[in-house]
Amino acid sequence: MFKRIPGISLGCDYNPEQWSPGVWREDVALMREAGVDLVAVNIFGWSNLEPSPGRYHFEDLDEVIGLLHENGIRVNLGTGTSSPPPWLSSLHPEILPAAADGTIRFPGGRQAWCPSSPVFREKAFALVEQVAQRYGSHPAVALWHVSNELGCHNALCYCQVSAEAFRGWLRERYRKIETLNEAWGTSFWSQRYSDWSEIQTPRLALSLRNPAQIIDFHRFSSDELLGYYRGELEIIRRHSAIPTTTNFMVTAHIRNLDYWSWAPEMDVVANDHYLDHRLGDPVAELSFAADLTRGLAGGKPWMLMEQAAGAVNWQPHNLTKAPGEMLRNSLTHVARGADSLCFFQWRASAQGAEKFHSALLPHAGTDTVAWREVLRLSETLDRIGEVAGTEVESDVALVFSWESWWSAEGEARPSQAVTYLDEVHRAHRALRELGVTVDIVAPGADVEKYKLVVIPCLYMISDEAAENINQYVGNGGSLLVTFFSGIVDERDRIRLGGYPGAFKDVLGIHGEEFAPLLPGHEVTLSNGATGSLWTERLRTTTAETIATYTDGPLPGVPAITRNGNAWYAATQLDRRGLRELMRSAVESAGVTPAGPESNGDVEVVRRSKDGRSYLFVVNHSAQSVQIAGEDLVSGKLITELKAGDVAVIREAGND
Ligand code: GAL
């Protein structure tokens, strides 16, 4: 009945509350036509399910789930708690979150609740109890979808309820107020606390705030929402054995949850991803996000819970997708480990804040390019279904950290122009251009199986995680580090005695002083590359100098160094310069690229398992590329792939 099990499922969010029952029937018929086989419902259902306090109304949801079930469509069931109904915030305005300036965020949008609010939790958990009890063993339900994008808008709440919860979290972490004082360096600016009750959330202040307090507030806020997730999960588990997840936001513009700590608690890791046209290279960012999501899933297949068929509505300029683009985006996700592709949303809304957001079924109906693109994707997924369950092959790891992101972009730092994610994207893009597939790992992860570890701009790292890297290099592993890495420990305390404290021995260098450049200024290197944003006065101890600056503030000072297998770039290298450095590291580490070198517009990734092997080729370029083999997408033996096309080559070794 479920044609894509096993296989790559095609799904979407469905918001039937916005439509009449007559439309539901048409919807389900069209879902069948499109091969949609996994539908998320009840994501924003609360005000319909509980129209007034304690009075539940399940008839509509019963009918929708029944209809989907009769039509062989599995349900990804929302717990419905993501956005509270107006009666709740009217009766209990204390659930509303506060921004960093202390002002209250009003209802009228969505997710207007404080993650620590006991009142919100009580009411939300009561709803979850009802939903889990009612549908916990419903044969249509394949997956539980807890809340929605937890922390998308409300991750950092600065209200007094949050302050009290923050104090509780700090007591757990530090036990003694003196330990907290030491960890936060409160001797600075007379900030020493004599009692826990004096501690507040880091609201906006007259001057720079304590960076260690801010980083702990981030940690607390991430843990607080994870605790909320656990609360819903515990209720679901009492009524249901069905797998549970929530949709992550591994994306460039949201950074408030440390998903390394969340991922182990998910039965399936799921991500929402939208092309972001505010970035220089949205497709490269998509590839990075997909690799990071696979990292969160421990290399196992994961689920794309949301993407857009065309334009979104929340960027300043919402570009649509050209024919073939949505298919390429989708195949990039699958190439990098997704086994389900879902969309926001099924039918484009006629009303509300998202009425200009694309959907699988557009306002204009089925006689449209957009609908035909959906059918094309569906057919492609049917053809490549046998790849499901295989895993991505990679010899290179890139270390990524949310903590480092939060702390590297603190208020007072050497250069506001340096942004963590940009440096991470640059390193990832250089590898992608070389045709090299990368696994993204957490600091402290076991990296022994990798030939090369890349550490871009990892400002904060704990002693244990640094030791792990140093040992890896000691055991013969190759390492490439870029500037502003290994500077502080997890208390945001500088590692004294020369930069970068965590890695200076393994890199064979000794940094004395940072010398950032003004945006728009460049320095030239002796190897012909250019550097921007950052330089530093450093000397080599055991490393050899690969390139020096020939101009700028530090002529003659090393800019790129190599200490055996360990490489360091002390400046933001231009695109080509970084690619060349990466090439040297990749070649000397003996890494074999999965595909040819390109400008990043030809992506090649291999998925394999138990003797099965598939080469994904996504050709974003305007030229055809040479690639030969049995292509599952076209069903033919091919020798080249046309501009804009995708192929999945079934490699030798398959049965
Ligand atoms: C996500 C959210 C969806 C929808 C979508 C629009 O953040 O989970 O409900 O709002 O964005 O792009």
Side-chain angles (χ1 to χ4, degrees):
M1 178 187 272
F2 302 124
K3 66 180 175 125
R4 290 206 180 83
I5 297 179
I8 311 284
S9 45
L10 175 62
C12 55
D13 273 27
Y14 180 39
N15 296 299
E17 307 85 1
Q18 297 174 17
W19 304 97
S20 65
V23 178
W24 302 347
R25 277 156 223 290
E26 189 193 328
D27 281 333
V28 173
L30 286 171
M31 284 173 187
R32 286 184 64 110
E33 187 183 323
V36 164
D37 62 357
L38 180 64
V39 167
V41 291
N42 197 38
I43 306 298
F44 295 100
W46 196 342
S47 69
N48 283 301
L49 288 188
E50 192 181 1
S52 54
R55 193 169 64 79
Y56 294 101
H57 166 84
F58 282 108
E59 289 68 19
D60 290 350
L61 188 57
D62 287 350
E63 193 176 333
V64 168
I65 292 179
L67 201 55
L68 291 166
H69 186 46
E70 281 160 28
N71 284 277
I73 298 169
R74 294 166 301 154
V75 172
N76 169 13
L77 186 57
T79 54
T81 52
S82 62
S83 238
W87 60 254
L88 181 50
S89 41
S90 272
L91 282 176
H92 295 283
E94 70 273 23
I95 70 163
L96 296 173
D101 64 359
T103 55
I104 299 300
R105 287 294 173 260
F106 272 34
R110 65 177 174 185
Q111 219 177 51
W113 50 276
C114 158
S116 301
S117 166
V119 176
F120 178 79
R121 288 187 184 208
E122 182 198 322
K123 305 293 179 195
F125 291 173
L127 178 68
V128 178
E129 186 86 44
Q130 295 284 329
V131 175
Q133 209 166 28
R134 194 170 186 97
Y135 303 109
S137 45
H138 193 295
V141 181
L143 185 65
W144 284 103
H145 182 304
V146 167
S147 190
N148 188 59
E149 290 192 341
L150 283 162
C152 176
H153 311 284
N154 65 347
L156 304 179
C157 174
Y158 297 79
C159 77
Q160 288 306 330
V161 175
S162 295
E164 188 52 33
F166 184 38
R167 289 189 278 270
W169 183 91
L170 291 167
R171 289 179 91 124
E172 281 277 307
R173 185 176 175 93
Y174 296 111
R175 307 276 166 193
K176 293 192 185 128
I177 195 80
E178 262 324 299
T179 316
L180 174 137
N181 277 315
E182 202 184 312
W184 285 11
T186 54
S187 301
F188 178 81
W189 279 357
S190 181
Q191 291 176 352
R192 179 164 290 278
Y193 294 99
S194 64
D195 189 78
W196 298 98
S197 61
E198 298 156 8
I199 301 171
Q200 296 292 338
T201 57
R203 284 191 180 180
L204 291 182
L206 283 174
S207 63
L208 301 168
R209 294 168 291 172
N210 184 320
Q213 178 183 6
I214 293 177
I215 184 81
D216 266 349
F217 184 63
H218 273 288
R219 292 181 177 124
F220 153 76
S221 301
S222 176
D223 284 358
E224 198 69 349
L225 277 167
L226 179 56
Y228 175 84
Y229 175 85
R230 286 194 197 112
E232 286 210 14
L233 181 67
E234 196 189 304
I235 299 163
I236 292 170
R237 280 291 159 267
R238 284 208 300 274
H239 301 286
S240 181
I242 295 164
T244 304
T245 191
T246 190
N247 38 351
F248 290 175
M249 297 160 288
V250 174
T251 178
H253 60 281
I254 296 184
R255 57 166 211 175
N256 284 327
L257 303 178
D258 181 355
Y259 288 129
W260 290 126
S261 60
W262 284 58
E265 307 204 22
M266 304 294 128
D267 292 329
V268 185
V269 166
N271 193 40
D272 292 353
H273 189 272
Y274 294 93
L275 277 190
D276 191 337
H277 292 283
R278 295 166 295 191
L279 301 171
D281 192 344
V283 172
E285 190 276 331
L286 183 158
S287 305
F288 169 76
D291 285 342
L292 176 49
T293 308
R294 182 178 73 256
L296 291 165
K300 301 281 173 242
W302 52 276
M303 174 174 190
L304 183 71
M305 187 70 97
E306 292 180 22
Q307 66 168 329
V312 298
N313 65 318
W314 42 263
Q315 291 173 22
H317 314 288
N318 296 296
L319 307 190
T320 188
K321 295 184 180 174
E325 189 177 352
M326 185 267 276
L327 181 66
R328 290 194 296 279
N329 293 168
S330 298
L331 267 274
T332 297
H333 284 295
V334 178
R336 294 173 192 274
D339 268 6
S340 313
L341 286 180
C342 305
F343 289 76
F344 176 85
Q345 62 178 330
W346 163 251
R347 181 186 277 273
S349 297
Q351 282 190 300
E354 295 187 318
K355 60 183 176 297
F356 293 119
H357 196 293
S358 65
L360 293 179
L361 180 59
H363 291 147
T366 52
D367 186 11
T368 50
V369 170
W371 179 255
R372 287 187 281 276
E373 288 290 291
V374 171
L375 300 185
R376 182 175 170 199
L377 171 66
S378 180
E379 201 184 312
T380 305
L381 296 185
D382 283 344
R383 291 180 175 202
I384 68 169
E386 67 183 75
V387 306
T390 56
E391 293 173 17
V392 174
E393 287 182 8
S394 162
D395 284 339
V396 180
L398 183 152
V399 180
F400 179 83
S401 156
W402 274 274
E403 287 202 346
S404 226
W405 190 354
W406 301 331
S407 49
E409 297 187 7
E411 289 174 334
R413 50 192 158 119
S415 170
Q416 297 280 346
V418 172
T419 60
Y420 175 59
L421 207 57
D422 194 29
E423 299 310 317
V424 170
H425 286 164
R426 280 166 182 274
H428 184 264
R429 188 179 63 189
L431 287 159
R432 187 168 163 268
E433 288 173 354
L434 292 170
V436 172
T437 310
V438 197
D439 282 350
I440 317 283
V441 301
D446 180 3
V447 286
E448 288 301 328
K449 71 171 187 183
Y450 294 104
K451 292 182 176 163
L452 172 66
V453 172
V454 177
I455 301 191
C457 200
L458 190 77
Y459 165 74
M460 173 177 278
I461 188 164
S462 68
D463 292 350
E464 302 74 52
E467 182 50 28
N468 185 48
I469 293 296
N470 291 333
Q471 263 180 22
Y472 160 78
V473 178
N475 294 340
S478 293
L479 176 70
L480 190 151
V481 177
T482 73
F483 69 95
F484 210 39
S485 291
I487 306 300
V488 298
D489 67 13
E490 68 273 28
R491 297 166 300 172
D492 202 23
R493 186 183 160 85
I494 300 280
R495 295 178 174 281
L496 304 173
Y499 308 124
F503 303 125
K504 67 180 191 316
D505 293 339
V506 82
L507 295 172
I509 55 172
H510 183 96
E512 294 175 27
E513 187 184 4
F514 303 134
L517 304 173
L518 288 172
H521 288 214
E522 276 182 2
V523 285
T524 311
L525 273 57
S526 56
N527 67 354
T530 55
S532 304
L533 295 190
W534 194 269
T535 63
E536 53 195 56
R537 186 182 300 283
L538 68 78
R539 63 175 190 270
T540 55
T541 51
T542 53
E544 56 179 305
T545 299
I546 303 292
T548 55
Y549 305 105
T550 58
D551 54 20
L554 300 170
V557 167
I560 302 175
T561 61
R562 175 181 185 174
N563 192 36
N565 295 335
W567 310 72
Y568 183 61
T571 182
Q572 187 194 68
L573 291 168
D574 65 281
R575 186 168 176 169
R576 197 163 155 273
L578 183 58
R579 197 204 293 191
E580 290 314 309
L581 173 61
M582 205 61 94
R583 186 200 309 284
S584 307
V586 159
E587 283 176 3
S588 94
V591 172
T592 315
E597 191 169 332
S598 75
N599 252 340
D601 45 14
V602 180
E603 287 188 85
V604 181
V605 180
R606 179 170 284 111
R607 284 184 66 162
S608 62
K609 190 167 187 172
D610 301 336
R612 293 182 293 146
S613 181
Y614 304 91
L615 198 66
F616 281 72
V617 188
V618 182
N619 185 3
H620 304 278
S621 81
Q623 281 88 41
S624 55
V625 291
Q626 303 302 307
I627 182 93
E630 181 195 351
D631 171 29
L632 298 180
V633 176
S634 59
K636 296 185 185 142
L637 280 172
I638 59 167
T639 51
E640 65 165 21
L641 185 64
K642 290 208 184 69
D645 263 2
V646 294
V648 178
I649 307 291
R650 199 169 190 258
E651 297 187 304
N654 284 300
D655 300 331

